[in-house]
Amino acid sequence: MRTLKYVLVSILGLPMLMSAQPASVKSYSDPDAREVYRALIAPQAKRSPLLLSTTVKPWICLVSPNEIADPEFRESMEVFHDVNQEVWDLSSVLSDRKTISQAQLDETFKPGVIEGWKLFREKYPDFVGYVALSAVGFNKAHTVAVVYSEGRC
């Protein structure tokens, strides 16, 4: 079993993601990405977050690959930037978790943030909020991974 190092760029906050999804979204099915997501968001005993069924583009990533000394980490960051140029469907790698679509979120939060969270809690009482994930950037050996997440609750 190989050891996997990974870096997480994460955001936790209240602002909403409100954006239209492209008409056709390709499926993201990397088995190693599934393992990174599982390590990142382990199911909790009581209430877990829903997971957004499509990737989000990382909006806070101030590290340029050129500034990274470690060659494996630099390679992973370069792939991370490349793979996140498009939106991916995460359904196959998140098949063991409850997901929510961007369209469902947009509809829930249409009345505004405060009313939206009230509706969210009515529609999804068993969930504390939701988490949005990026695609994972791996080095060639798949021993280093970079992933971005946003948690909303």
Side-chain angles (χ1 to χ4, degrees):
M1 176 182 209
R2 67 177 182 246
T3 303
L4 176 67
K5 302 182 284 185
Y6 58 91
V7 174
L8 165 67
V9 180
S10 181
I11 280 229
L12 178 63
L14 293 176
M16 286 304 309
L17 295 167
M18 301 296 260
S19 64
Q21 291 296 329
S24 77
V25 178
K26 290 190 249 175
S27 180
Y28 187 68
S29 58
D30 188 312
D32 288 335
R34 176 191 300 261
E35 293 308 312
V36 170
Y37 295 144
R38 282 184 179 163
L40 180 64
I41 313 214
Q44 298 168 358
K46 290 192 178 191
R47 293 178 18 165
S48 296
L50 288 169
L51 300 178
L52 188 62
S53 62
T54 52
T55 59
V56 294
K57 290 189 178 185
W59 63 275
I60 295 181
C61 195
L62 304 175
V63 179
S64 165
N66 298 334
E67 299 170 5
I68 301 170
D70 181 296
E72 290 179 333
F73 181 33
R74 183 179 333 106
E75 180 183 358
S76 298
M77 185 61 81
E78 288 169 349
V79 172
F80 172 78
H81 284 291
D82 291 344
V83 74
N84 283 290
Q85 293 303 308
E86 60 185 295
V87 175
W88 295 90
D89 178 353
L90 297 175
S91 299
S92 63
V93 292
L94 300 177
S95 60
D96 59 337
R97 298 293 299 272
K98 175 75 171 144
T99 60
I100 188 168
S101 71
Q102 185 65 55
Q104 289 170 302
L105 283 175
D106 289 347
E107 185 61 32
T108 301
F109 288 93
K110 199 175 202 175
V113 174
I114 294 172
E115 287 302 312
W117 279 114
K118 287 178 186 175
L119 285 171
F120 184 94
R121 286 178 177 74
E122 288 172 15
K123 288 181 178 182
Y124 311 103
D126 296 333
F127 298 93
V128 296
Y130 70 94
V131 171
L133 301 161
S134 70
V136 181
F138 289 103
N139 64 335
K140 284 184 182 133
H142 277 225
T143 56
V144 178
V146 178
V147 65
Y148 170 88
S149 73
E150 296 179 0
R152 308 289 184 201
C153 54

